[in-house]
Amino acid sequence: MKRSLILSAALLVVTGSVQAQKKINQDSLVKEAAKTEYWEPVPKLVTPGKTPADAPSDAIVLYNGKDVAQWQKEKGGAPGWKIDKDGALTVVKGSGNIATKQGFGDCQLHIEWRSPAAIAGASQSRGNSGIFLMGQYELQVLDSYNNPTYVNGQAGSMYKQYAPLVNACRKPGEWQSYDVIFTAPRFFSDGKLQSPARITVLHNGVLVQNNVEIKGHTEWIGQPKYSAHKDKEPLVLQDHGMDGGNPMSYRNIWIREL
């Protein structure tokens, strides 16, 4: 019996020693891990929207279906677009482009758009508009559902620069969404380009532009190129009035400055 007690006591001593060593090793690991931790600055709290389409708490709501207080004609003056019964902001042909009163640079943009349910025209003459980041760089808006056109001019393209990775268009008359991460270009004090703009776009939740490097401001004819501009410029929506069939509609537009 005495021998058993001695063995038990020895085992307890050995077990306790092993546990103590494990704690020492664990404490050492925690101290090493802490060397690569930082606790400040603490990210500000942002309340997300109820759905991915809803504006988070720090977003600027540019259009909520009620008024166009955030917008004006691109050259100034009251916008000539109409607000439909369903709250959609719809192009009135010949009224001209509209622009935000506020300028933006780096941003996250959510915008929803709809082409007419009644199909009119083909290729670029069918449900055509555009979203110009900083008034310079066009993300194409087009009814590209069973509508062949040049691929760097279809929906989801950076117009005349990059075709979308896939065609994620819904049918005419159905609401579609773009979610955009945009990095503005930087210019040296002498006006030369320091770093180009970059853009990532999800069309209806599908990645169509993956952090591409924008080649310059959008050109219809000729090659894109950069010219220096302000750090923040208005967002512009296009009235593509040169063709028929383009009473495009927008809703639920919000933006976060980054």
Side-chain angles (χ1 to χ4, degrees):
M1 175 66 74
K2 186 176 181 181
R3 187 180 178 204
S4 296
L5 291 172
I6 292 171
L7 286 173
S8 296
L11 286 172
L12 287 172
V13 169
V14 170
T15 301
S17 177
V18 170
Q19 290 176 342
Q21 187 60 48
K22 284 183 177 179
K23 186 176 187 309
I24 291 171
N25 290 342
Q26 184 64 31
D27 289 346
S28 178
L29 289 173
V30 169
K31 288 180 181 178
E32 285 300 312
K35 292 179 181 179
T36 53
E37 297 169 0
Y38 62 93
W39 292 61
E40 293 180 340
V42 177
K44 71 175 183 178
L45 180 64
V46 172
T47 304
K50 292 182 179 179
T51 75
D54 293 328
S57 59
D58 66 340
I60 299 168
V61 177
L62 295 175
Y63 182 67
N64 62 4
K66 297 178 181 179
D67 61 61
V68 289
Q70 300 277 2
W71 298 85
Q72 60 185 6
K73 285 187 175 181
E74 189 175 15
K75 303 299 183 182
W81 295 18
K82 65 179 180 179
I83 299 177
D84 297 334
K85 291 180 180 179
D86 64 355
L89 181 62
T90 299
V91 176
V92 174
K93 185 177 179 181
S95 60
N97 300 344
I98 63 172
T100 56
K101 295 177 181 179
Q102 181 175 343
F104 301 97
D106 297 352
C107 66
Q108 174 187 352
L109 172 69
H110 175 87
I111 186 166
E112 298 174 17
W113 56 273
R114 180 180 65 190
S115 60
I119 296 173
S123 186
Q124 295 291 304
S125 297
R126 177 172 148 185
N128 193 327
S129 183
I131 301 162
F132 287 80
L133 283 303
M134 305 190 84
Q136 306 269 342
Y137 314 104
E138 183 183 8
L139 171 59
Q140 175 71 314
V141 174
L142 187 77
D143 176 7
S144 292
Y145 187 86
N146 292 333
N147 180 31
T149 191
Y150 47 93
V151 296
N152 61 346
Q154 73 178 70
S157 67
M158 288 307 296
Y159 187 74
K160 287 291 185 80
Q161 296 190 33
Y162 296 100
L165 297 172
V166 295
N167 182 344
C169 254
R170 293 193 170 112
K171 295 178 180 179
E174 295 184 10
W175 283 104
Q176 314 205 41
S177 66
Y178 283 154
D179 286 284
V180 178
I181 305 296
F182 175 75
T183 301
R186 269 62 173 175
F187 299 93
F188 291 109
S189 58
D190 62 1
K192 292 182 179 179
L193 181 67
Q194 181 178 1
S195 59
R198 306 191 73 89
I199 194 166
T200 295
V201 181
L202 281 80
H203 182 191
N204 296 325
V206 179
L207 184 68
V208 294
Q209 299 291 345
N210 188 12
N211 193 33
V212 296
E213 183 179 293
I214 295 174
K215 300 174 183 178
H217 63 255
T218 298
E219 294 281 1
W220 181 37
I221 298 172
Q223 296 301 313
K225 57 184 179 297
Y226 279 100
S227 56
H229 54 74
K230 296 178 182 177
D231 294 338
K232 295 185 178 184
E233 295 282 2
L235 178 74
V236 174
L237 302 182
Q238 184 186 42
D239 166 20
H240 198 275
M242 67 175 65
D243 299 317
N246 294 308
M248 302 292 284
S249 299
Y250 292 90
R251 72 176 186 185
N252 195 21
I253 308 171
W254 53 263
I255 195 166
R256 295 180 64 242
E257 296 187 283
L258 303 177

